[in-house]
Amino acid sequence: VISNMVSGIVITYMRPFKVGDRIKMGEFLGNVIEKTPLVTRIKTSKNEVITIPNANIMTSQTVNYTSSAEAYGLVLYSVVTMGYDTPWRKVHEMLIEAGLNTPKVLQDPKPVVLQIALDDFYVQYQINVYTKEANEMANIYSELNKNIQDIFNREGFELLSPHYRAQRDGSTVT
């Protein structure tokens, strides 16, 4: 109890987060709904209320998505793998279009595509987008991935895992 109370006082003065902030603490991601001298409560996107003793907060890492989003713009990303036969410039173009078409993604700074790996059978591309809406992370990720699928299908590029083997006639894009 004493450890939690001392930690509660330290947290009050450190101000790593405030009520309403979207944070990640250990394995839990949610919004701070209550800070007391003994515990902090967060509510996840599934409406689960998690009670965390303040002493645990002092000994673990806390990521404050809300303060990052407000100060710098929060970077969200998605990874796509494509074979070496797919023109990388076209992949970049399609991913940037998907990012720009995603609601609540900032137009400036513009989305950025990184080629993060040149693996044996494919290239890994990572689309990075910026948002100020930390509370909408899950929805933005979902919309970004939908846009990626739609644009790649529209352009005739198949998002097929390189580890998947299938006999196909290749007549339709899946």
Side-chain angles (χ1 to χ4, degrees), residues 27-47:
E27 64 186 84
F28 304 113
L29 173 67
N31 288 67
V32 178
I33 59 171
E34 184 180 15
K35 285 175 35 177
T36 72
L38 297 176
V39 298
T40 298
R41 288 188 176 82
I42 64 173
K43 184 172 84 170
T44 70
S45 60
K46 304 293 186 206
N47 289 329

Side-chain angles (χ1 to χ4, degrees), residues 35-109:
K35 285 175 35 177
T36 72
L38 297 176
V39 298
T40 298
R41 288 188 176 82
I42 64 173
K43 184 172 84 170
T44 70
S45 60
K46 304 293 186 206
N47 289 329
E48 303 161 320
V49 176
I50 311 292
T51 302
I52 304 168
N54 286 336
N56 290 9
I57 293 169
M58 291 300 298
T59 60
S60 67
Q61 294 179 342
T62 302
V63 179
N64 188 328
Y65 293 108
T66 300
S67 66
S68 295
E70 290 170 356
Y72 317 106
L74 184 61
V75 178
L76 305 179
Y77 64 92
S78 190
V79 175
V80 171
T81 58
M82 298 296 293
Y84 284 98
D85 59 334
T86 306
W88 68 264
R89 287 178 180 86
K90 183 65 176 173
V91 175
H92 283 231
E93 177 187 309
M94 291 184 297
L95 288 171
I96 288 171
E97 180 183 350
L100 291 172
N101 290 343
T102 302
K104 300 183 178 154
V105 163
L106 300 176
Q107 302 293 303
D108 183 36

Side-chain angles (χ1 to χ4, degrees), residues 133-170:
E133 306 291 333
N135 287 335
E136 295 293 324
M137 289 170 57
N139 291 330
I140 295 169
Y141 273 123
S142 180
E143 291 301 316
L144 175 61
N145 288 329
K146 287 180 203 175
N147 286 337
I148 291 169
Q149 283 185 278
D150 287 345
I151 290 167
F152 275 68
N153 282 336
R154 180 192 74 207
E155 297 295 323
F157 289 94
E158 190 168 34
L159 292 168
L160 183 63
S161 170
H163 300 288
Y164 179 82
R165 289 199 128 172
Q167 290 293 102
R168 301 183 56 242
D169 66 6

